[in-house]
Amino acid sequence: MHPSHLSDLRFHDLELHPSLLAGLDALGYTHCTPIQAAALPRALRGEDLAGQAQTGTGKSAAFLLATMHWLLTHPRKPGDDPRQPRALVLAPTRELAVQIHKDAEALGAKTGLRMTVCYGGAGYETQRAAIESGVDLLIGTPGRLIDYYKQRTYTLSQIEVLVLDEADRMFDLGFIADIRYLIRKMPPPSARRNYLFSATLSHRVLELAYEHMNNPQRIAIEPEQVTADKIRQAMIHVANDEKLPLLVGLLRSRSTVRTLIFVNTKREAETVERGLRANGFEARVLSGDVSQGKRLRLLEEFKAGRLPVLVATDVAARGLHIPGVDLVVNYDLPQDPEDYVHRIGRTARAGASGDAISLCCETWVYSLPEIEKYIGMRIPPLEGGYNLIAQDYIAPRRESDRRHHGGSSDRIGRRGRGRR
């Protein structure tokens, strides 16, 4: 027997390179997930793939195993420069690039393949030196990859495998011109293997696939529900001035190891952080403005359980594999229904279960009907949720108050309004 989120296809049933099978055995992976079962046999037959799968379904392992198998079974051509990359993986965010690299190192631990990751915001000289020392599989974000390419740190003339991960996010972040620039420097599509993965195979994503790939085979893994079936969803209607007291009461009522709280703006994230810290919770903010070094430290502390609460904007909503997230809180409902799915998908990963609770306030409640239509269900109200509002909530002073007065907080009453 194996967990229900896995398929019946065993990795050992595939003709994967022995060193990859040894790596999978060492990690304890025996059976493919549905996206892996659909993608790997086709990839091993040499087909290009355009795959659709929700985050957390194992798509990174699917394209990494296919990529590394090709490199291991097709030696470099005589006369090729042994230092140049043969496979390129493009990711839209630094966090996703780092995660893919970690997965690649784990899966390819016994292969001898040289793998390097590069991204903006940190380690400029270190990353460049790693590429210059020789690399087989290069993983990175478009901006930093183009920077090094223009400096002639590496070439793309020997690329045999191209992977585009989270292609829809590439469009959202404005990276498509950069991607096309890099692709034009590679051998033509017919001379390489091409794997594209995306949460949605929209018209613009498919256009990109058909333009730069070799007759890609479409693979779509549609779960029975848009959201993972092991996520217990609930919502609470709440007034704007009661949101922070309710959040404090909600966190007090639960024994969670890792709680991920999503907000829509960096400013609101900082407000939530101050409110939680004033009430005894160890919390930090993860947003696009946080430096790369600090961002990676926060993620490591959160993954290790040393940081129990992470307050994040949508920069953390996609592509991050954080095991053991017990609770996801939508402090602000997202405006895009797809973002709701990506956010709550941070819990209940790899077959585990988890809770996702949304605070429906006056500002963002208008998003609720579209979200419920998209996921195909009504989000049930949390029983007794409104009664969780912390009556002894301590409100942090506003930044202007903290500059003019000593101290850091004052108490507020039942409905979240400060005493004067």
Side-chain angles (χ1 to χ4, degrees):
M1 295 294 290
H2 53 278
S4 59
H5 70 285
L6 298 177
S7 72
D8 292 324
L9 181 64
R10 294 170 52 88
F11 287 110
H12 278 269
D13 296 333
L14 300 167
E15 295 183 0
L16 283 167
H17 191 274
S19 64
L20 292 173
L21 291 174
L24 288 162
D25 289 342
L27 294 169
Y29 297 154
T30 58
H31 290 75
C32 298
T33 66
I35 187 63
Q36 293 162 3
L40 280 170
R42 292 185 174 191
L44 296 180
R45 290 197 298 267
E47 298 177 4
D48 283 9
L49 303 176
Q52 175 181 349
Q54 297 300 322
T55 184
T57 56
K59 58 184 171 66
S60 296
F63 65 68
L64 286 171
L65 288 169
T67 298
M68 289 189 282
H69 176 82
W70 174 268
L71 298 182
L72 292 165
T73 55
H74 294 77
R76 285 184 185 270
K77 300 180 181 69
D80 280 355
D81 185 343
R83 296 172 302 166
Q84 298 305 323
R86 301 174 62 206
L88 185 70
V89 179
L90 289 169
T93 66
R94 294 169 282 192
E95 290 80 12
L96 182 55
V98 169
Q99 184 61 55
I100 293 170
H101 182 241
K102 287 185 177 180
D103 291 343
E105 287 189 316
L107 293 167
K110 301 181 183 298
T111 64
L113 293 172
R114 298 165 299 172
M115 310 170 198
T116 296
V117 62
C118 65
Y119 46 83
Y124 191 87
E125 294 300 331
T126 303
Q127 292 174 15
R128 181 165 63 180
I131 297 173
E132 289 176 337
S133 68
V135 59
D136 299 301
L137 172 59
L138 180 57
I139 302 159
T141 52
R144 181 58 64 90
L145 284 169
I146 288 177
D147 188 352
Y148 289 143
Y149 179 82
K150 288 183 175 179
Q151 294 185 47
R152 300 185 179 180
T153 304
Y154 68 96
T155 73
L156 292 166
S157 60
Q158 296 175 207
I159 293 297
E160 300 172 42
V161 184
L162 169 65
V163 179
L164 299 178
D165 195 18
E166 304 250 351
D168 54 338
R169 192 69 167 157
M170 298 280 198
F171 278 99
D172 294 341
L173 296 174
F175 285 141
I176 296 306
D178 290 344
I179 290 170
R180 288 198 166 105
Y181 172 86
L182 291 167
I183 289 176
R184 285 196 299 270
K185 309 299 181 182
M186 300 177 192
S190 59
R192 62 175 195 257
R193 304 276 69 77
N194 303 280
Y195 309 125
L196 176 149
F197 285 85
S198 179
T200 58
L201 289 179
S202 62
H203 174 74
R204 61 183 185 175
V205 171
L206 288 173
E207 186 177 43
L208 181 73
Y210 292 127
E211 180 182 355
H212 297 291
M213 299 173 70
N214 185 37
N215 189 28
Q217 303 300 305
R218 290 181 61 175
I219 296 173
I221 302 300
E222 297 285 0
E224 292 182 6
Q225 293 176 291
V226 174
T227 51
D229 56 7
K230 292 184 179 294
I231 301 175
R232 295 179 290 267
Q233 299 176 70
M235 60 92 167
I236 308 170
H237 286 288
V238 60
N240 285 348
D241 60 353
E242 295 172 331
K243 284 176 74 176
L244 268 171
L246 175 57
L247 179 62
V248 168
L250 175 64
L251 295 184
R252 286 177 181 172
S253 72
R254 300 193 169 236
S255 300
T256 58
V257 177
R258 295 175 192 83
T259 297
L260 190 52
I261 300 171
F262 282 107
V263 294
N264 289 348
T265 66
K266 172 181 175 287
R267 182 176 180 179
E268 192 67 13
E270 293 169 346
T271 299
V272 171
E273 178 193 34
R274 291 198 305 271
L276 291 178
R277 292 174 67 82
N279 287 271
F281 290 95
E282 185 67 20
R284 290 291 186 272
V285 168
L286 183 70
S287 69
D289 291 343
V290 174
S291 70
Q292 182 62 16
K294 183 178 179 182
R295 190 183 306 195
L296 293 176
R297 286 196 302 274
L298 288 176
L299 287 171
E300 286 304 316
E301 290 178 6
F302 188 59
K303 290 178 182 180
R306 296 189 297 271
L307 176 63
V309 181
L310 194 61
V311 184
T313 56
D314 280 310
V315 69
R318 293 195 183 204
L320 294 182
H321 176 61
I322 303 174
V325 175
D326 315 89
L327 174 65
V328 169
V329 177
N330 282 307
Y331 184 81
D332 297 330
L333 276 180
Q335 295 174 281
D336 186 339
E338 287 188 24
D339 285 339
Y340 175 83
V341 173
H342 288 298
R343 286 181 179 188
I344 72 171
R346 298 306 94 207
T347 188
R349 294 177 71 80
S353 60
D355 293 292
I357 298 175
S358 299
L359 308 188
C360 301
C361 67
E362 299 147 282
T363 303
W364 301 108
V365 70
Y366 68 85
S367 299
L368 183 61
E370 288 187 31
I371 291 171
E372 292 182 329
K373 180 180 179 181
Y374 182 74
I375 65 175
M377 62 172 283
R378 297 291 298 273
I379 303 174
L382 182 68
E383 186 174 351
Y386 187 78
N387 296 327
L388 293 174
I389 295 174
Q391 299 186 47
D392 59 347
Y393 171 74
I394 300 172
R397 289 191 182 277
R398 294 187 298 271
E399 286 298 316
S400 58
D401 292 339
R402 295 172 70 185
R403 285 193 294 268
H404 294 294
H405 303 284
S408 61
S409 59
D410 55 53
R411 292 186 180 275
I412 69 169
R414 163 77 172 122
R415 296 192 61 78
R417 297 179 176 87
R419 291 175 180 170
R420 301 291 181 186

